[in-house]
């Protein structure tokens, strides 16, 4: 089962009215932290994401960071390099009008190729959920993360519950 991970707003919180905690590099990194917002990412999230892999999840970057997520963020989180969704050119996707799903939705369904998946992102809407439900034959969880906080205990609880419930792969 795939878990598509967005970065901005999901792992890197933004937009809150309060100051963000700043985290020190969790270990000696191969290169200095290059991204100016990297210190907003709690390194403990890496351990939590690794635990999800024990439930049968394959982590996949679903972010505009592309492979920078592997060179910058993965070492910070203590994760190995992950597969990266290669987004199609903007013009390659026909327009679906005003009530169209998020631009990531169709490529993620194509990447999943009929297998169960979860997607965590701060821009998921009910339009995306309806589009996936109508076109994807396997179970899918589209979970919206509050961009002001990024992934929280509550978000991990939702993921773990879905993974171990009747529709998730760990329940099979």
């Amino acid at each position: 089962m795939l878990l598509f991970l967005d970065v901005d707003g999901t792992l890197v919180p933004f937009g809150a009215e309060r100051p963000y905690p700043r985290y020190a590099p969790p270990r000696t990194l191969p290169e200095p932290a290059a991204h100016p917002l990297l210190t907003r990412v709690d390194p403990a999230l890496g351990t939590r994401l690794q635990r999800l892999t024990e439930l049968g999840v394959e982590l996949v970057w679903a972010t505009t960071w592309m492979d920078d997520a592997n060179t910058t963020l993965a070492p910070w989180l203590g994760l190995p390099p992950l597969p990266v969704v290669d987004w199609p050119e903007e013009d390659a996707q026909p327009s679906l009008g005003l009530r169209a799903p998020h631009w990531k939705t169709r490529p993620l369904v194509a990447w999943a190729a009929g297998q169960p998946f979860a997607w965590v992102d701060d821009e998921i809407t009910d339009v995306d959920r309806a589009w996936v439900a109508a076109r994807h034959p396997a179970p899918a969880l589209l979970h919206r993360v509050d961009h002001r906080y990024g992934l929280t205990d509550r978000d991990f609880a939702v993921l773990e519950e879905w993974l171990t419930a009747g529709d998730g792969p760990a329940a099979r």
Side-chain angles (χ1 to χ4, degrees):
M1 203 225 39
L2 303 169
L3 173 56
F4 294 116
L5 285 169
D6 178 43
V7 172
D8 293 318
T10 302
L11 295 173
V12 179
F14 67 90
E17 295 178 7
R18 61 173 171 67
Y20 287 101
R22 298 282 184 194
Y23 299 94
R27 62 194 59 76
T28 302
L29 299 174
E31 296 178 28
H35 195 282
L37 298 180
L38 192 59
T39 59
R40 286 189 187 179
V41 178
D42 182 353
L45 291 173
T47 302
R48 306 230 24 213
L49 291 167
Q50 287 276 18
R51 281 193 205 127
L52 294 178
T53 65
E54 296 168 9
L55 296 175
V57 169
E58 177 186 358
L59 303 173
V60 178
W61 295 122
T63 174
T64 56
W65 282 46
M66 303 296 291
D67 204 51
D68 286 345
N70 278 326
T71 58
T72 304
L73 194 54
W76 182 269
L77 293 170
L79 296 174
L82 305 177
V84 178
V85 175
D86 187 21
W87 305 112
E89 292 297 320
E90 195 172 319
D91 295 341
Q93 294 190 56
S95 174
L96 297 177
L98 297 175
R99 297 286 297 159
H102 190 280
W103 62 269
K104 291 181 181 178
T105 305
R106 290 182 283 173
L108 294 181
V109 167
W111 181 286
Q115 65 182 306
F117 74 87
W119 172 27
V120 290
D121 200 304
D122 62 310
E123 297 181 348
I124 293 169
T125 68
D126 288 338
V127 172
D128 301 300
R129 290 183 187 95
W131 197 92
V132 171
R135 291 165 180 83
H136 186 67
L141 171 69
L142 281 65
H143 180 70
R144 185 178 180 130
V145 174
D146 187 330
H147 64 88
R148 297 169 297 173
Y149 308 104
L151 282 170
T152 64
D153 290 343
R154 182 182 99 39
D155 299 308
F156 279 101
V158 168
L159 287 166
E160 290 169 11
E161 180 180 332
W162 185 78
L163 289 168
T164 57
D167 286 342
R172 294 190 184 125

